[in-house]
Amino acid sequence: MISQPDLILDHGQKRFMLGFFRVRFRQKLKTVWGQKPKEKKYSFSSNYYKIFLDIQRRCDFQISFSNFLLYVFFVLQYTIPIFLATIACITAGNDLLVTFIQEFVYDDQAENIVKFFIFLISLLGTLFGTISATTNPSESYDNAAAFHNKFSEFKINLAIDMRNLELTNAMEEDYLQLLKQKNANLSELIQEYNQKRSIDKNQVGGDN
């Protein structure tokens, strides 16, 4: 059996441990609530965040636009030569095409169908030939790919620079100065791309 002194000693130890943890808990509370408030750290929640979003939207539009042109010129630079070659082959094989269609319709109808078909693809050939001459798909594809990469790099660098300022606890003036410079750089990049596309479109006319 456990003697009465042992029970009293055990009860005292429990009270001691409970009191010890209470004291420690109170000290923790005093430490937490007694800390001085931290200095305000400027982050993306400040009023320059709207400017950052506006610049990012402009950059996102240019990325999407250049990516769209990238696909367009990629298709054109391969399909237009193939299409023009197909037109030439069909025109050269006019008689063979008429003979083939005569197996299904009357002779006069076959000739009319072939004439209309050749007229239609000739119009399309003229259209695509003009597009190819004015846009120069091969060079335009290279420009679209190059500027798509530049705009993507600009967006990533903007996010990195903003993050670096946040880590250094920079003031709001530093953010605004960075955004002003980045906006100017983006405008120059857009203007450069517009001039590139304008030059490509006017190549067929030569220098005035």
Side-chain angles (χ1 to χ4, degrees):
M1 292 181 60
I2 302 176
S3 62
Q4 188 68 20
D6 292 334
L7 290 175
I8 295 174
L9 181 61
D10 184 63
H11 182 67
Q13 288 178 344
K14 289 181 179 179
R15 292 185 61 185
F16 172 79
M17 296 299 295
L18 183 59
F20 174 79
F21 284 117
R22 285 178 178 174
V23 172
R24 295 289 296 176
F25 181 72
R26 289 173 182 172
Q27 290 177 348
K28 287 288 185 182
L29 288 178
K30 289 181 180 180
T31 303
V32 172
W33 292 103
Q35 287 180 348
K36 294 182 180 180
K38 294 182 179 179
E39 294 182 359
K40 182 179 178 181
K41 184 177 182 180
Y42 289 96
S43 62
F44 288 164
S45 61
S46 297
N47 56 9
Y48 56 80
Y49 184 50
K50 183 180 181 299
I51 304 174
F52 169 77
L53 289 180
D54 290 339
I55 297 175
Q56 195 173 53
R57 288 191 197 99
R58 290 182 64 199
C59 188
D60 287 337
F61 172 79
Q62 295 298 327
I63 292 174
S64 300
F65 182 61
S66 59
N67 187 57
F68 169 75
L69 294 182
L70 192 64
Y71 285 107
V72 170
F73 292 128
F74 177 81
V75 173
L76 289 179
Q77 70 176 335
Y78 291 106
T79 57
I80 289 180
I82 295 175
F83 184 76
L84 295 178
T86 303
I87 293 175
C89 292
I90 293 175
T91 304
N94 184 10
D95 295 335
L96 294 177
L97 186 60
V98 171
T99 303
F100 175 76
I101 296 178
Q102 285 175 349
E103 298 293 332
F104 306 97
V105 297
Y106 295 108
D107 294 348
D108 294 339
Q109 291 179 338
E111 292 180 359
N112 292 332
I113 290 174
V114 171
K115 288 180 180 179
F116 176 76
F117 181 69
I118 292 177
F119 172 75
L120 180 61
I121 63 175
S122 297
L123 288 179
L124 293 176
T126 302
L127 176 63
F128 282 109
T130 304
I131 293 174
S132 178
T134 55
T135 61
N136 193 353
S138 180
E139 185 173 351
S140 296
Y141 171 82
D142 293 337
N143 289 332
F147 279 92
H148 180 268
N149 182 61
K150 289 181 180 180
F151 287 123
S152 299
E153 182 182 11
F154 176 90
K155 181 180 179 180
I156 295 174
N157 287 339
L158 174 60
I160 292 174
D161 292 338
M162 293 291 286
R163 180 58 177 168
N164 287 337
L165 287 181
E166 186 181 23
L167 292 176
T168 57
N169 198 20
M171 302 299 292
E172 187 167 344
E173 291 77 8
D174 298 324
Y175 284 96
L176 295 176
Q177 183 64 31
L178 173 66
L179 292 173
K180 182 179 179 180
Q181 181 63 41
K182 288 294 184 179
N183 183 59
N185 294 340
L186 179 60
S187 298
E188 292 176 0
L189 196 59
I190 294 173
Q191 181 63 23
E192 182 183 355
Y193 189 33
N194 291 338
Q195 290 177 353
K196 276 286 186 180
R197 295 203 310 274
S198 178
I199 291 173
D200 291 338
K201 289 180 180 179
N202 294 328
Q203 281 179 353
V204 66
D207 296 331
N208 294 327

